[in-house]
Amino acid sequence: MPITTKHPAPPTFMQKFRMITEAYLTQVAQREMLQKYPGSGRLPAPQKGFIYTVLPFIFLPGYKLTPWPIKKRLLALFFVHPEQNWPARPWEKTKGE
Amino acid sequence: MAKRVVVIGGGSAGTGAATLAIQTDRSLDVTLLTEFEDIAYSPCGIPYVFGREVASMNNLFLQGKEFYADMGLKLRTEVVVERVDVNQRVVHTTTGEQFPFDILILCTGWEYEVPNVPGVDLEGVVFIKNIRRAMEIEKQLDNVKKAVVWQAKPLGVELIEALPKRGIETHLVDAGGWLLSDFADPDMMKPLQDYLVDHEHVKMHFGATLNGFRGQNGKLTHTLTSTGEIETDMAFLVAPMKPATKLAQSIGVKTGSTGAIVVDNHMRTNVPNVFAAGACVETMHGLLNIPINLIQGTYAYSEGRTAGTNAAGGDVSYQPVYVPWGLGAKVQVGGALISETLAKATGTPYVAATGLGITAARYHPSHEKMMVKLLCDPQTHRILGAQFTGGEGVKERADFLAFAIRKATTVEELATMENVYSPAIGALNEPIATCAKNLLNALKQQRK
């Protein structure tokens, strides 16, 4: 089959991991938001698939307990390629001076 | 011989890249290849034509093809690229044509991920992207009595604002709990949601998954959801938008965790002499410091211009983004990311506060309410995000806050900001400053 500009490439393991965990964490956050602001929306539909039944036990507790500075480093480690060292933000420049 | 630049893709990124390349170096031989019939139009305007706020699809074209030809650009429409030979530096099309290049710019955009549900190929199930297809849909809308819009993403919200203006009974089906629930907060979306229900009579089906479509004689009659069936003449699918990267990957261009192409701040890929820009690339988020994939034309155009300038020998650096956003007409919503929902999802520490203000002097008839929400870092007090709901001025405030975040502005600085006071256009107290003062109080409370 010819390659055309029309189709997305199939996701890699890391891309799938990010897609699934991001969707899951967003839904957890949405539920927390509805608890904080009752009456402002409806509960989202439960996510389907085996992975969403295990994530609350094997992924969420660790993610929640990891302190933000470590979490930020882990996110960068997993998701940022060396080419993506874009210009430093103002607060990063200040820190380095 | 003139240096040859080939741009693949005729959307905002491709058009921006090709025109900037030629403007930067007039001696370049620039060719733009697109599989569609047209270039240089604003697909974002399509819902507004559906809603008859904009008279015609023709108004969405920015320039005619002659404009680009006069500029010296070689424009080839309805050309599908089959493969690229990076060693020989030649682009091959499905019709056997060859386009040699010295520099290649990939602006292949995005594609809808068609939901895997029964009935999705029925007549009446439509996607909004190509303007020619949108013109056909526009003609059919006069016969549509009931429409379903699937997913409350920005395009979906624009559609549910537009379709009732044609007298169409409009249903929104979304698995989330409120409008734009992927990134916006429910308390800030509620006024727009209430307006659409109360004034435009949109029927919201939140927490409902799309199960499929049913039809008769190949034509759509019903949308099937987890909460019931909806009689439907036309269903608009605002499906997930995925970066189109198959061609890029076939020549060894690296893709990142979002599935989009990895580029540096000059829009260079890992393959020498190959640039990429627009909805097919990853862009760095300034606060979270992770790459994100942005579909909006504003990023596509500016990234395309960056790629085109650099491909032509210039030196322009693209900046990390803070994603100002906004939409709506009568009730406007907007902000700069991150939101409280995203702060919770990512685990970013934050303190939030809201403030209510007005957009003009209280005695002036033009004044409208403006609700502001600000988020800041509890340690440094740097602003992390903002959201607005109200009347006129949401867009300008969102742009201002995105820039303020980029410049590491603190709550204290916002609380003492200056503002225009002029009865018809600005109140004595700027709602942003009011909210910042509330946020300072929230920070004090937190310290106690």
Side-chain angles (χ1 to χ4, degrees), chain B residues 148-196:
Chain B
V148 163
V149 175
W150 179 54
Q151 297 215 124
K153 295 180 184 298
L155 173 61
V157 176
E158 286 169 347
L159 284 167
I160 61 170
E161 283 201 288
L163 296 173
K165 294 187 172 74
R166 296 281 287 260
I168 297 169
E169 181 185 307
T170 306
H171 296 254
L172 174 75
V173 174
D174 191 276
W178 59 89
L179 296 178
L180 311 174
S181 62
D182 284 352
F183 61 89
D185 296 344
D187 52 322
M188 300 302 286
M189 290 301 107
K190 192 141 192 333
L192 175 59
Q193 222 159 273
D194 290 345
Y195 172 80
L196 289 168

Side-chain angles (χ1 to χ4, degrees), chain B residues 46-55 138 141-142 162 165-166:
Chain B
I46 291 170
Y48 298 92
V49 181
F50 288 166
R52 293 201 168 133
E53 282 176 76
V54 175
E138 217 290 307
L141 276 181
D142 286 334
K165 294 187 172 74
R166 296 281 287 260

Side-chain angles (χ1 to χ4, degrees), chain B residues 229-369:
Chain B
E229 294 187 6
I230 305 163
E231 250 185 76
T232 316
D233 300 318
M234 189 171 272
F236 294 83
L237 301 195
V238 186
M241 296 162 184
K242 299 285 178 185
T245 56
K246 213 168 180 174
L247 185 71
Q249 284 192 316
S250 74
I251 57 170
V253 168
K254 207 190 276 181
T255 57
S257 57
T258 66
I261 296 169
V262 172
V263 288
D264 67 8
N265 60 338
H266 281 60
M267 299 291 139
R268 290 178 289 231
T269 71
N270 61 305
V271 176
N273 301 312
V274 178
F275 291 72
C280 62
V281 307
E282 291 189 340
T283 309
M284 291 301 287
H285 190 279
L287 282 176
L288 299 172
N289 209 22
I290 55 170
I292 54 174
N293 178 226
L294 294 160
I295 303 294
Q296 292 91 332
T298 173
Y299 296 104
Y301 186 57
S302 55
E303 287 172 356
R305 290 168 64 90
T306 304
T309 306
N310 292 329
D315 182 14
V316 180
S317 174
Y318 202 75
Q319 298 298 312
V321 294
Y322 300 88
V323 201
W325 63 276
L327 48 83
K330 182 70 190 151
V331 178
Q332 299 182 8
V333 291
L337 297 180
I338 56 176
S339 61
E340 198 175 354
T341 305
L342 285 181
K344 282 186 185 292
T346 53
T348 309
Y350 73 94
V351 177
T354 54
L356 184 63
I358 45 177
T359 57
R362 63 182 165 71
Y363 49 81
H364 194 277
S366 72
H367 86 270
E368 292 172 292
K369 282 182 187 170

Side-chain angles (χ1 to χ4, degrees), chain B residues 387-409:
Chain B
Q387 273 173 95
F388 308 95
T389 303
E392 288 292 317
V394 162
K395 180 246 182 285
E396 290 78 5
R397 287 180 172 90
D399 287 347
F400 164 62
L401 256 296
F403 192 69
I405 297 168
R406 177 165 153 180
K407 302 307 278 182
T409 304

